[in-house]
Amino acid sequence: MAMELQEGTEIKLLNGKTCTIDKELGRGGQGIVYLVDYCGGDYALKWYIKDYSSDFYNNLKKNADAGPPSKAFLWPLAITERQFGSFGYVMRLRPRGFREFGDFMLAKTQFSSMTANINAAINICDAFQKLHIRGLSYQDMNDGNFFINPKNGDVLICDNDNVAPDRTNLGIIGKAGYLAPEIVDKKTMPNRYSDYFSMAVILFILFYFNRPFEGKKFANCGCMTEELEKDLFGHKAVFIMDPQDCSNRPVPGLHTNVIRRWGLFPKFMENLFVQAFCKQSILFPEKRVIDREWMTCMIQLRSTLGKCPHCGEETFIEPDISNQTCIDCEHSIVKPMVLKIDKYRVPLFEGQKIYNVQLPIDGDLNAVVGEVVTNAITGKLGIKNYSSFTWQALDPVGSAHNVTPESGMPIKNEMKIKFKMGINGLITR
């Protein structure tokens, strides 16, 4: 039988090392988290107080040996031997400055900027895309799994003991409201398609601070039962903003956030949420918006965020809309020139950044290769090369010149940019 661990207790690990219990940090239904001394530093030990199978234990060990898919995961670093009636694993401690996902939902904290909000979404998409590439699924995505830094949007994902190969479940299912309908209805085992649905739920909450299926129907239900849960979150679920079905709309005075924020963001993002939660996606998992599509959407969203030329506040400046207004002061904004590159359309307003992920080049998601700046002599906008490589700019009449690192180039209609071999851009009106 599992026992609680006392200060000073030495725990043996499978890697031949040990960790020593310092104090309890917190506890939940699965286990207790302790502060431990491991290899001379402070770490966390999750110690199980529930019984789990040998398959669960072996899966944990396999994941620890493989290492984290990305730095966003507070991944198992070392697994303990079975001792004192149970086992556990060592992981990194959560650094200062990170807040629980639920704090954003309950307005206990807020992002420092819309940029930080979007960066959080990009980091979540990147983490799960890398997890799914390994053939794994997370299986238990909910508001308790994420810690976010409100200043910059950095994300940490905890409770990674539920990560397992597709369609293999080792005892942890998840929470209704976040689970895919087929999991709520117990029709299949968790997999990447159920993860796609759960990830869309997390992203929706991140921008609208409301769960996507908790509208009028949820507000009107009394005591939650398993049958009601299936009606609200199973195959009968209705998206609160479904354009074809108004039966579960947000309730004025109760769902204020989503009512106020729906329509605030560019239409391409709203359309993707409608696609993610429409009847087809609920009934047919293979029709769902996948992690790569969400990643593209969020990177494009980051590129539409700029400063209003009238009030200086953050607003969305979309590349294909002529008549748009600032979301803050409601002044008209002139449609800028656009850089078409790979699958992205980057509006070229002052301060706009071009990221290596848009070229696309692997690496830091926030690494900047170029920025739109004002030429001090001509007063016109141009693009400054902040990459480590030389670009070639070809103007509309066919003449070419090199754009070396730290130098710039003008922005002209129909100008082409060869960033690297096979990586080209085109500037258009």
Side-chain angles (χ1 to χ4, degrees):
M1 180 179 175
M3 61 177 284
E4 296 187 15
L5 303 175
Q6 303 301 314
E7 180 182 346
T9 303
E10 191 172 83
I11 304 296
K12 295 178 181 179
L13 305 171
L14 290 178
N15 61 11
K17 299 176 182 179
T18 62
C19 65
T20 305
I21 304 297
D22 186 348
K23 63 179 181 180
E24 181 180 324
L25 294 176
R27 62 176 63 205
Q30 288 181 318
I32 305 170
V33 177
Y34 296 97
L35 176 67
V36 296
D37 183 304
Y38 173 61
C39 296
D42 289 338
Y43 287 82
L45 169 70
K46 183 171 182 178
W47 184 254
Y48 294 102
I49 54 176
K50 288 180 64 177
D51 288 334
Y52 285 102
S53 66
S54 295
D55 287 343
F56 182 90
Y57 183 81
N58 292 334
N59 184 68
L60 261 183
K61 181 180 180 301
K62 185 177 179 181
N63 286 345
D65 290 344
S70 93
K71 64 180 181 180
F73 291 99
L74 288 173
W75 200 253
L77 297 176
I79 311 302
T80 75
E81 294 182 4
R82 289 182 177 273
Q83 58 208 291
F84 303 113
S86 191
F87 62 91
Y89 67 89
V90 174
M91 59 184 165
R92 288 184 293 138
L93 283 170
R94 170 169 42 116
R96 291 180 181 274
F98 284 79
R99 300 292 297 270
E100 293 181 13
F101 190 88
D103 288 349
F104 295 86
M105 292 174 62
L106 300 173
K108 292 181 179 179
T109 191
Q110 58 185 8
F111 287 104
S112 62
S113 64
M114 184 59 72
T115 300
N117 193 330
I118 296 170
N119 281 343
I122 290 173
N123 287 324
I124 288 170
C125 293
D126 177 66
F128 286 107
Q129 188 175 353
K130 288 175 177 173
L131 180 83
H132 294 147
I133 285 171
R134 286 194 180 180
L136 302 171
S137 55
Y138 189 80
Q139 306 194 3
D140 182 25
M141 244 179 274
N142 62 70
D143 54 342
N145 303 138
F146 298 87
F147 298 103
I148 303 174
N149 188 323
K151 291 184 179 179
N152 56 23
D154 283 352
V155 171
L156 291 173
I157 304 167
C158 63
D159 293 337
N160 297 294
D161 41 11
N162 38 268
V163 172
D166 259 8
R167 304 188 188 280
T168 301
N169 182 260
L170 299 168
I172 301 171
I173 289 292
K175 293 166 65 173
Y178 298 89
L179 289 174
E182 66 273 15
I183 308 300
V184 175
D185 287 342
K186 299 178 181 178
K187 299 293 186 183
T188 187
M189 286 288 103
N191 54 74
R192 71 168 58 199
Y193 292 103
S194 57
D195 267 11
Y196 295 154
F197 191 90
S198 299
M199 193 177 83
V201 172
I202 292 294
L203 293 174
F204 185 85
I205 296 170
L206 197 63
F207 288 104
Y208 299 102
F209 307 124
N210 199 102
R211 294 185 183 94
F213 298 95
E214 293 185 12
K216 183 168 66 176
K217 288 186 175 184
F218 183 83
N220 289 340
C221 78
C223 181
M224 184 61 68
T225 64
E226 186 175 346
E227 206 56 43
L228 270 174
E229 205 170 75
K230 286 185 176 183
D231 283 345
L232 291 166
F233 305 117
H235 284 100
K236 297 178 185 177
V238 177
F239 178 39
I240 57 175
M241 290 301 181
D242 190 319
Q244 309 299 325
D245 188 339
C246 301
S247 64
N248 195 28
R249 282 286 182 264
V251 179
L254 182 61
H255 303 126
T256 307
N257 286 325
V258 69
I259 292 172
R260 181 172 56 87
R261 291 170 76 89
W262 188 260
L264 182 73
F265 298 91
K267 200 69 180 173
F268 66 82
M269 186 174 85
E270 288 186 358
N271 290 341
L272 204 59
F273 277 118
V274 169
Q275 181 184 338
F277 299 130
C278 69
K279 299 291 186 185
Q280 189 178 46
S281 291
I282 288 171
L283 297 173
F284 304 105
E286 67 278 5
K287 301 289 186 181
R288 287 177 185 155
V289 179
I290 66 173
D291 44 27
R292 187 170 64 251
E293 293 174 277
W294 281 116
M295 187 69 163
T296 299
C297 173
M298 295 305 160
I299 291 170
Q300 180 64 49
L301 181 66
R302 180 168 64 178
S303 282
T304 65
L305 189 65
K307 286 188 177 180
C308 172
H310 304 286
C311 68
E313 295 296 324
E314 285 185 319
T315 190
F316 293 105
I317 304 173
E318 297 191 57
D320 300 315
I321 297 180
S322 298
N323 301 315
Q324 55 188 312
T325 57
C326 172
I327 60 175
D328 193 70
C329 72
E330 298 186 351
H331 272 82
S332 295
I333 296 173
V334 176
K335 181 179 178 292
M337 302 275 271
V338 175
L339 172 63
K340 296 179 181 179
I341 178 169
D342 193 46
K343 58 186 78 115
Y344 302 104
R345 296 176 61 79
V346 183
L348 299 174
F349 48 76
E350 185 171 18
Q352 174 67 280
K353 293 177 174 60
I354 304 166
Y355 296 90
N356 67 348
V357 71
Q358 291 171 310
L359 294 186
I361 298 174
D362 289 336
D364 186 346
L365 294 169
N366 298 312
V368 174
V369 294
E371 183 175 353
V372 177
V373 297
T374 300
N375 188 298
I377 298 172
T378 65
K380 294 182 178 180
L381 293 179
I383 304 175
K384 188 169 183 178
N385 181 356
Y386 282 123
S387 73
S388 59
F389 46 90
T390 297
W391 312 341
Q392 188 179 55
L394 295 88
D395 68 22
V397 296
S399 60
H401 71 275
N402 289 333
V403 186
T404 57
E406 298 299 323
S407 67
M409 57 169 283
I411 294 173
K412 294 180 182 179
N413 189 36
E414 299 301 320
M415 178 171 272
K416 297 176 182 178
I417 309 173
K418 290 186 176 181
F419 291 99
K420 275 191 167 186
M421 182 69 70
I423 303 175
N424 303 309
L426 173 67
I427 297 172
T428 61
R429 290 194 183 281

